[in-house]
Amino acid sequence: MSNNPILITGGRLIDPAQKLDKKMDLLLKDGHVFWLGEEGKAPSLPEAPTILTARGKVVCPGFIDLHCHLREPGFEEKETIATGTRAGARGGFTTLCCMPNTNPPLDSRAVVDYVIQKARSEGVIRVLPIGCISQGRRGEGLAEMGELAEAGVVGYSDDGAPVSNARLMRHALEYSRGWKLPVISHCEEISLTEGGQMNEGAVATRLGLKGMPAEAEECMAARDIALARLTGGRLHLAHISSAGSVELVRRAKEKGISVTAEVTPHHLTLTEEKVMGYDTNAKVNPPLRTRTDIAALLQGLREGVIDAIATDHAPHAAVDKMCEFGLAAFGISGLETALGSLMTLVNQGELELGLVIARLTSGPAGVLGGIPMKSGLGTLKVGSPADVTIFDPKGEWLVSEASLISKGKNTPLLGTKLKGKVIATIFGGRVVYKEGAP
Ligand code: DOR
């Protein structure tokens, strides 16, 4: 689509990084934010801008997802960089940090280069790869962390699996300091979760499914916080799901330990009860938990204990889910339903709209923080990349397999009506998604 200047007019502009929430126009030019100000007062340009009318809509920085699975290379039947970035754009995301549990995994410069090249040639939004902590994600020896940093990773993680060996995690946190990159922990004490299918508790007992206790997440979170204190390394906790984890992060932050955390939309909106009908689409790791956990996660978001909302978009092919519960893959396809799910919480009065946008923009940008070249993301300050999301907070849509761009149709929200619909996503000054456009 055209790379003309774009004038977005009449919308409610929300940019938490600038503490802005008011009716303003926004002018994008040459891939950057050129001007923002009072409606109808945009400076005139030699080239007439394309006008996007956003009356009744919210205009905000493009969302940044710290945690998604694009599955390429190796699992292209589940998702590709082409389909995943389009799904991201449809969900209002302009930056996706992709996890390294591919095949081969992102543990060498060659594979990171491949992802970056593919994203450039086939992706429609920014893709920032996350490299492995350990070689082959086997949890034995450290990956070439320096080489990965030079190749352009924005963090390290063995996500999908924890780093069970504490000494290895200690070394990862020590070495990561050299590149100022976060080590992203998938907190799970495997000896407590082995064979587990869902949250441990009364529902699991009733369904006859083996449970995974919240404590399996919490004891690993506690260990990693202790190691962050020991090493001074930057720790980021992926997909925290329990009240106990929120409390651990709160206390660690109070002590000045360098820790940040993310939560997914599904852990904020769905409980273990979603598994009642043995719906394999509700099978996810960490598992959906309880109302008490949700209340604590929401409070953690409000207080800033939880820095970011990340999707953990985990697309799977139909065969991975159309089987008995115990054999089904873990994961929820989440890029396209994130905003609508979060708007439910806004409409229920649980979260302020501005806070949700902060945790999707400035929050994750802060986690990517000290990373050179990544500054200016997550805000609409003049001079920032022209990454913009326009959404209709009242727009309703029905989640169906056909409605999803992602190859992963695996969401427990199939058949649910969501309120909150992306109208257009602009990346680097180009419209990369427009509702209704082919
Ligand atoms: O449910 C999950 N799916 N949790 C993970 O940690 C990994 C992910 C995947 O890669 O499918």
Side-chain angles (χ1 to χ4, degrees), residues 22 37 93 104 166 260 377 381 394 414:
K22 62 177 182 181
F93 292 89
T260 51
L377 295 186
K381 280 184 192 142
K394 297 204 171 81
L414 289 176

Side-chain angles (χ1 to χ4, degrees), residues 62 86 162 200 214 256 263 346 348 393:
R86 279 166 180 79
E200 183 171 305
V263 61
V346 173
Q348 288 167 349

Side-chain angles (χ1 to χ4, degrees), residues 3-6 27-34 45 47 384-386 428-429:
N3 204 14
N4 258 7
I6 296 177
L27 183 58
L28 312 174
K29 183 176 170 297
D30 300 329
H32 292 88
V33 175
F34 184 72
L45 298 172
E47 198 181 353
S384 302

Side-chain angles (χ1 to χ4, degrees), residues 318-352:
V319 288
D320 303 318
K321 289 288 196 178
M322 285 177 74
C323 52
E324 67 181 81
F325 201 88
L327 296 176
F330 288 96
I332 291 176
S333 179
L335 282 171
E336 294 167 80
T337 54
L339 177 72
S341 298
L342 296 167
M343 284 307 295
T344 313
L345 296 167
V346 173
N347 292 328
Q348 288 167 349
E350 292 286 359
L351 295 176
E352 301 269 337

Side-chain angles (χ1 to χ4, degrees), residues 12-25:
R12 172 180 170 192
L13 192 139
I14 303 183
D15 182 9
Q18 300 187 78
K19 298 194 168 47
L20 282 178
D21 181 353
K22 62 177 182 181
K23 217 167 171 196
M24 284 177 109
D25 283 3

Side-chain angles (χ1 to χ4, degrees), residues 256-288:
I257 299 170
S258 178
V259 58
T260 51
E262 68 187 35
V263 61
T264 71
H266 48 268
H267 288 113
L268 287 170
T269 50
L270 306 174
T271 66
E272 57 185 356
E273 269 146 50
K274 209 67 193 165
V275 183
M276 288 292 272
Y278 295 94
D279 178 4
T280 56
N281 285 334
K283 180 174 174 179
V284 64
N285 187 17
L288 302 175

Side-chain angles (χ1 to χ4, degrees), residues 165-181:
N165 184 311
R167 184 168 42 86
L168 194 72
M169 192 60 163
R170 172 189 185 166
H171 288 155
L173 282 160
E174 272 164 358
Y175 290 140
S176 69
R177 292 182 58 183
W179 301 283
K180 297 190 169 57
L181 296 179

